[in-house]
Amino acid sequence: SKTKTVSHVISGSDLFYPGETILSEEGITLLKAKFKKEKVGDVKELIIEGHTDDKEFFEFPEISRKYKNDTELSAARAISILEIIEKILHLSGENIGIRAYGSNRPLKPNTTDLNRALNRRVVIQIITEVTEKKFFNTNESSKSKPEQKINNQIINNTKTT
């Protein structure tokens, strides 16, 4: 069966307050609007990636007391998102996973505040099953009697006595 992957990249500031791992009210509203069941389809797999920049972990002392490094911070954020999307889409945990990259996969070099803001993000990958549509030739379906071809001549399947 064929699958389709759609990736949603969402800025960390749209989902979390600085230094937080619990979703903001605005973040919850955004996720609910973005991932309505009828918009997504039948989910085969859901992967949530957490990314940070190279500074955020060190700028908030309460984070460094709770987590060992920025990878753990990105994991905590990915789990927060996973929990809300799981509820929105009514998914069970068997096909859901997280990836925590911390600051290891930046989109831009961590050289400016703007670049750091771009690197603080979440990537939500939704893999859905693609159903192939079958098209029927209207001429074939409108025939009332089955036919057979013998030596390129059409023979109707009717009995003659």
Coordinates of all heavy atoms in Angstrom, one line a residue, residues 76-121:
A76 N 10.9 16.6 25.8 CA 9.8 17.0 26.6 C 8.7 17.8 25.8 O 7.5 17.6 26.0 CB 10.2 17.8 27.8
R77 N 9.2 18.7 25.0 CA 8.3 19.4 24.1 C 7.6 18.5 23.1 O 6.4 18.7 22.9 CB 9.0 20.6 23.5 CG 9.4 21.7 24.4 CD 10.1 22.8 23.7 NE 10.3 23.9 24.7 CZ 11.0 25.0 24.4 NH1 11.6 25.1 23.3 NH2 11.1 26.0 25.3
A78 N 8.3 17.6 22.5 CA 7.7 16.7 21.6 C 6.6 15.9 22.2 O 5.6 15.6 21.7 CB 8.8 15.8 20.9
I79 N 6.9 15.4 23.5 CA 5.9 14.6 24.2 C 4.6 15.5 24.5 O 3.5 15.0 24.3 CB 6.5 14.0 25.5 CG1 7.5 12.9 25.1 CG2 5.4 13.5 26.4 CD1 8.4 12.5 26.3
S80 N 4.8 16.7 24.9 CA 3.7 17.6 25.1 C 2.8 17.7 23.9 O 1.5 17.6 23.9 CB 4.1 19.0 25.5 OG 4.7 19.0 26.8
I81 N 3.4 17.8 22.7 CA 2.7 17.9 21.4 C 2.0 16.6 21.1 O 0.9 16.5 20.7 CB 3.6 18.4 20.3 CG1 3.9 19.9 20.6 CG2 2.9 18.3 19.0 CD1 5.1 20.4 19.9
L82 N 2.8 15.5 21.3 CA 2.2 14.2 21.0 C 0.9 14.0 21.8 O 0.0 13.5 21.2 CB 3.3 13.2 21.4 CG 2.9 11.7 21.2 CD1 4.1 10.9 20.7 CD2 2.4 11.1 22.5
E83 N 1.0 14.3 23.1 CA -0.2 14.1 23.9 C -1.5 14.8 23.4 O -2.5 14.2 23.4 CB 0.1 14.4 25.4 CG 1.1 13.5 26.0 CD 1.6 13.9 27.4 OE1 1.4 15.1 27.7 OE2 2.2 13.1 28.1
I84 N -1.3 16.0 23.0 CA -2.5 16.8 22.5 C -2.9 16.3 21.1 O -4.1 16.1 20.9 CB -2.3 18.3 22.5 CG1 -3.6 19.0 22.3 CG2 -1.3 18.8 21.5 CD1 -4.4 19.2 23.5
I85 N -2.0 16.0 20.2 CA -2.4 15.5 18.9 C -3.0 14.1 19.0 O -4.0 13.8 18.3 CB -1.2 15.5 17.9 CG1 -0.8 17.0 17.6 CG2 -1.5 14.8 16.6 CD1 0.3 17.1 16.7
E86 N -2.5 13.3 19.9 CA -3.1 12.0 20.1 C -4.6 12.1 20.5 O -5.4 11.4 20.0 CB -2.3 11.3 21.3 CG -2.4 9.8 21.3 CD -1.5 9.3 22.4 OE1 -1.1 10.0 23.4 OE2 -1.0 8.1 22.2
K87 N -4.9 13.1 21.3 CA -6.3 13.3 21.7 C -7.1 13.9 20.6 O -8.3 13.4 20.3 CB -6.4 14.3 22.9 CG -5.9 13.7 24.2 CD -5.9 14.7 25.3 CE -5.2 14.2 26.6 NZ -5.0 15.2 27.5
I88 N -6.6 14.8 19.8 CA -7.3 15.5 18.7 C -7.7 14.4 17.7 O -8.8 14.4 17.2 CB -6.5 16.6 18.1 CG1 -6.3 17.7 19.1 CG2 -7.1 17.1 16.8 CD1 -5.2 18.8 18.6
L89 N -6.7 13.6 17.3 CA -6.9 12.6 16.3 C -7.4 11.2 16.7 O -7.6 10.3 15.9 CB -5.6 12.4 15.5 CG -5.1 13.7 14.7 CD1 -3.8 13.4 14.0 CD2 -6.1 14.2 13.8
H90 N -7.6 11.1 18.0 CA -8.0 9.8 18.6 C -7.2 8.7 18.2 O -7.6 7.6 17.7 CB -9.5 9.5 18.2 CG -10.4 10.7 18.5 ND1 -10.8 11.1 19.8 CD2 -11.0 11.6 17.7 CE1 -11.6 12.1 19.7 NE2 -11.8 12.4 18.4
L91 N -5.8 8.8 18.4 CA -4.9 7.8 18.1 C -4.5 7.0 19.3 O -4.4 7.5 20.4 CB -3.6 8.4 17.4 CG -3.9 9.2 16.1 CD1 -2.6 9.9 15.7 CD2 -4.4 8.3 15.0
S92 N -4.1 5.8 19.1 CA -3.5 5.0 20.1 C -1.9 5.1 19.9 O -1.5 5.4 18.9 CB -3.9 3.5 20.1 OG -3.6 3.0 18.9
G93 N -1.2 4.8 21.0 CA 0.3 5.0 20.9 C 1.1 4.1 20.1 O 2.3 4.3 20.0
E94 N 0.5 3.1 19.4 CA 1.3 2.1 18.7 C 2.0 2.6 17.5 O 3.1 2.1 17.2 CB 0.4 0.9 18.4 CG -0.7 1.2 17.4 CD -1.9 0.4 17.7 OE1 -2.2 0.1 18.8 OE2 -2.7 0.2 16.7
N95 N 1.5 3.6 16.8 CA 2.1 4.1 15.6 C 2.6 5.6 15.8 O 2.6 6.3 14.9 CB 1.2 4.0 14.4 CG 0.9 2.6 14.1 OD1 1.8 1.7 14.2 ND2 -0.2 2.3 13.6
I96 N 2.9 5.9 17.0 CA 3.3 7.3 17.3 C 4.7 7.3 17.9 O 5.0 6.5 18.8 CB 2.3 7.9 18.3 CG1 0.9 7.9 17.7 CG2 2.7 9.4 18.7 CD1 -0.2 8.4 18.7
G97 N 5.5 8.2 17.5 CA 6.9 8.3 18.0 C 7.4 9.7 18.1 O 6.8 10.6 17.4
I98 N 8.4 9.9 18.9 CA 9.0 11.2 18.9 C 10.5 11.1 18.6 O 11.1 10.0 18.7 CB 8.9 11.9 20.3 CG1 9.7 11.1 21.4 CG2 7.5 12.1 20.7 CD1 10.1 11.9 22.6
R99 N 11.1 12.2 18.1 CA 12.5 12.3 17.9 C 13.0 13.6 18.5 O 12.4 14.6 18.3 CB 12.8 12.3 16.4 CG 12.4 11.0 15.7 CD 12.7 11.1 14.2 NE 12.3 9.9 13.5 CZ 12.0 9.8 12.2 NH1 12.1 10.9 11.5 NH2 11.6 8.7 11.7
A100 N 14.0 13.5 19.3 CA 14.5 14.6 20.0 C 15.9 15.0 19.5 O 16.8 14.2 19.7 CB 14.5 14.3 21.5
Y101 N 16.0 16.1 18.8 CA 17.3 16.4 18.2 C 18.0 17.5 19.0 O 19.1 17.8 18.7 CB 17.0 16.9 16.8 CG 16.6 15.7 15.9 CD1 15.4 15.7 15.3 CD2 17.5 14.7 15.6 CE1 15.0 14.7 14.5 CE2 17.1 13.6 14.8 CZ 15.8 13.6 14.2 OH 15.4 12.6 13.4
G102 N 17.3 18.2 19.9 CA 18.0 19.3 20.6 C 18.4 20.3 19.6 O 17.7 20.7 18.7
S103 N 19.7 20.8 19.7 CA 20.2 21.8 18.8 C 21.1 21.1 17.7 O 21.8 21.8 17.0 CB 21.0 22.8 19.6 OG 22.1 22.2 20.2
N104 N 21.0 19.8 17.6 CA 21.8 19.1 16.6 C 21.5 19.2 15.2 O 22.3 18.9 14.3 CB 21.9 17.6 17.0 CG 22.5 17.4 18.4 OD1 23.5 18.0 18.7 ND2 21.9 16.5 19.2
R105 N 20.3 19.6 14.8 CA 19.9 19.8 13.4 C 19.3 21.2 13.1 O 18.1 21.3 12.8 CB 18.9 18.7 13.1 CG 19.4 17.3 13.0 CD 18.5 16.3 12.4 NE 19.1 15.0 12.3 CZ 18.5 14.0 11.8 NH1 17.3 14.1 11.3 NH2 19.1 12.8 11.7
P106 N 20.1 22.2 13.2 CA 19.6 23.5 13.0 C 19.2 23.8 11.5 O 19.8 23.2 10.6 CB 20.7 24.4 13.4 CG 22.0 23.6 13.2 CD 21.5 22.2 13.5
L107 N 18.2 24.6 11.3 CA 17.8 25.0 9.9 C 18.8 26.0 9.5 O 19.2 26.1 8.3 CB 16.4 25.6 9.9 CG 15.3 24.6 10.1 CD1 14.0 25.4 10.1 CD2 15.2 23.6 9.0
K108 N 19.3 26.9 10.4 CA 20.2 28.0 10.1 C 21.3 28.0 11.1 O 21.1 27.4 12.2 CB 19.5 29.3 10.2 CG 18.3 29.5 9.2 CD 18.7 29.8 7.9 CE 17.5 30.1 6.9 NZ 17.9 30.4 5.6
P109 N 22.4 28.5 10.8 CA 23.5 28.6 11.8 C 23.0 29.4 13.0 O 22.3 30.4 12.9 CB 24.6 29.4 11.1 CG 24.3 29.3 9.6 CD 22.8 29.1 9.5
N110 N 23.4 29.0 14.2 CA 22.9 29.7 15.4 C 23.8 30.9 15.7 O 24.5 31.0 16.7 CB 23.0 28.7 16.6 CG 21.9 27.7 16.7 OD1 20.7 28.1 16.7 ND2 22.2 26.4 16.7
T111 N 23.8 31.8 14.8 CA 24.7 33.0 14.8 C 23.9 34.3 15.1 O 24.5 35.3 15.5 CB 25.4 33.2 13.5 OG1 24.5 33.2 12.4 CG2 26.5 32.1 13.3
T112 N 22.6 34.3 14.9 CA 21.7 35.5 15.2 C 20.5 35.0 16.0 O 20.1 33.8 16.0 CB 21.3 36.2 13.9 OG1 20.4 35.3 13.2 CG2 22.5 36.5 13.0
D113 N 19.8 36.0 16.6 CA 18.6 35.7 17.3 C 17.5 35.2 16.4 O 16.7 34.3 16.7 CB 18.1 36.9 18.1 CG 19.0 37.2 19.3 OD1 19.7 36.3 19.7 OD2 18.9 38.4 19.8
L114 N 17.4 35.8 15.2 CA 16.5 35.3 14.2 C 16.7 33.9 13.8 O 15.8 33.1 13.7 CB 16.5 36.2 12.9 CG 15.6 35.8 11.8 CD1 14.1 35.9 12.3 CD2 15.8 36.7 10.6
N115 N 17.9 33.5 13.5 CA 18.3 32.1 13.2 C 17.9 31.2 14.3 O 17.4 30.1 14.1 CB 19.7 32.0 12.8 CG 20.0 32.5 11.4 OD1 19.2 33.0 10.7 ND2 21.3 32.4 11.0
R116 N 18.2 31.6 15.5 CA 17.9 30.8 16.7 C 16.4 30.5 16.8 O 15.9 29.4 17.1 CB 18.5 31.4 18.0 CG 20.0 31.2 18.1 CD 20.5 31.7 19.4 NE 21.9 31.6 19.5 CZ 22.8 32.5 19.1 NH1 22.3 33.7 18.7 NH2 24.1 32.3 19.1
A117 N 15.6 31.6 16.5 CA 14.2 31.5 16.6 C 13.7 30.5 15.5 O 12.8 29.7 15.8 CB 13.5 32.8 16.4
L118 N 14.3 30.5 14.4 CA 13.9 29.5 13.3 C 14.3 28.1 13.7 O 13.6 27.1 13.4 CB 14.6 29.9 12.0 CG 14.1 31.1 11.3 CD1 15.1 31.5 10.2 CD2 12.7 31.0 10.9
N119 N 15.4 27.9 14.5 CA 15.8 26.6 14.9 C 15.0 26.0 16.0 O 14.9 24.8 16.2 CB 17.3 26.6 15.3 CG 18.2 26.9 14.1 OD1 17.8 26.6 13.0 ND2 19.3 27.5 14.3
R120 N 14.3 26.9 16.8 CA 13.4 26.4 17.9 C 12.1 26.0 17.2 O 11.2 26.9 16.9 CB 13.2 27.5 18.9 CG 14.4 27.7 19.8 CD 14.1 28.7 20.9 NE 13.6 29.9 20.5 CZ 14.3 31.0 20.2 NH1 15.7 31.0 20.3 NH2 13.8 32.2 19.9
R121 N 11.9 24.8 16.9 CA 10.7 24.4 16.1 C 10.3 22.9 16.5 O 11.1 22.2 17.1 CB 11.0 24.5 14.6 CG 12.0 23.4 14.2 CD 12.6 23.7 12.8 NE 13.5 22.7 12.3 CZ 14.7 22.5 12.7 NH1 15.3 23.2 13.6 NH2 15.4 21.5 12.2

